[in-house]
Amino acid sequence: EVQLVESGGGLVQPGGSLRLSCAASGFTFSSYAMSWVRQAPGKGLEWVSAISGSGGSTYYADSVKGRFTISRDNSKNTLYLQMNSLRAEDTAVYYCAKDPYYDSSGYYWPPTYYFDYWGQGTLVTVSS
Amino acid sequence: DIQMTQSPSTLSASVGDRVTITCRASQSISSWLAWYQQKPGKAPKLLIYKASSLESGVPSRFSGSGSGTEFTLTISSLQPDDFATYYCQQYNTQGTFGQGTKVEIK
């Protein structure tokens, strides 16, 4: 059974930093691109960032480019999102999400950008 | 950027009703469209991909159609478990979501 479990959310002041983690199980982690998608309170969904299975390729939404860094540790089956220079508008539930396309090499790119499995989310609140 | 517009924003319906939600793209996205269902406090769940392909395990009362810029999600006979918010998402160019359609009890 595919499981994605996010952690690391919390309250942070504007300008601060936070690192989110997503522990994956139930599938060959290194063979799938992964993404972070966020949802501001009471709002819709926004794709944030994606990374290839190997970790060698990454994409970012313009709203977070230069402030957020996506990475992965395939030996630990874990996805990360390092968030710096946080703003009030970054307040949201952050979901990690799995790409449906299997690629044994881990180099398939770009990702499909739709998601067959999602974690339960972790809340990030940016406020003074 | 490709914009996605869903209609209506809210839909009131009864169990057994046939329900249709529309999603329009600001430019052609071929058939690169997905639909998700989200319940309060839960993660989205994939229902449909490539405009009309039903995700494994999803009940057959859900169906999708369309191509280019206009798409629909249809629930043939609304069940109690279907009251939720539905999002479309284009994945022709990265991925952008519609604003959501809340299906509520009439």
Side-chain angles (χ1 to χ4, degrees), chain A residues 37 39 43-47 59-62 95 100 112-121, chain B residues 1 34 36 38 41-46 49-50 55 87 89-91 93-95 97-99:
Chain A
V37 179
Q39 185 170 37
K43 301 297 184 182
L45 298 159
E46 180 189 15
W47 170 80
Y59 272 157
Y60 299 92
D62 288 344
Y95 296 100
T112 61
Y113 285 113
Y114 78 96
F115 314 109
D116 58 354
Y117 289 93
W118 300 59
Q120 85 289 350
Chain B
D1 290 5
Y36 301 88
Q38 187 179 34
K42 301 294 187 183
K45 173 188 174 183
L46 178 65
Y49 61 96
K50 209 173 179 185
E55 174 69 354
Y87 292 94
Q89 180 210 10
Q90 70 80 18
Y91 53 98
T93 306
Q94 293 191 345
F97 296 85
Q99 81 279 14

Side-chain angles (χ1 to χ4, degrees), chain A residues 25-95:
Chain A
S25 61
F27 63 103
T28 306
F29 183 65
S30 60
S31 295
Y32 292 88
M34 298 290 295
S35 283
W36 289 97
V37 179
R38 68 184 180 183
Q39 185 170 37
K43 301 297 184 182
L45 298 159
E46 180 189 15
W47 170 80
V48 171
S49 182
I51 188 167
S52 62
S54 67
S57 299
T58 57
Y59 272 157
Y60 299 92
D62 288 344
S63 58
V64 306
K65 201 173 294 181
R67 301 187 299 122
F68 289 11
T69 302
I70 191 171
S71 62
R72 64 194 297 161
D73 184 337
N74 288 340
S75 68
K76 296 182 178 178
N77 287 353
T78 302
L79 176 72
Y80 302 101
L81 185 68
Q82 177 68 42
M83 304 185 295
N84 298 331
S85 302
L86 282 161
R87 306 166 180 168
E89 55 264 37
D90 296 318
T91 295
V93 173
Y94 284 73
Y95 296 100

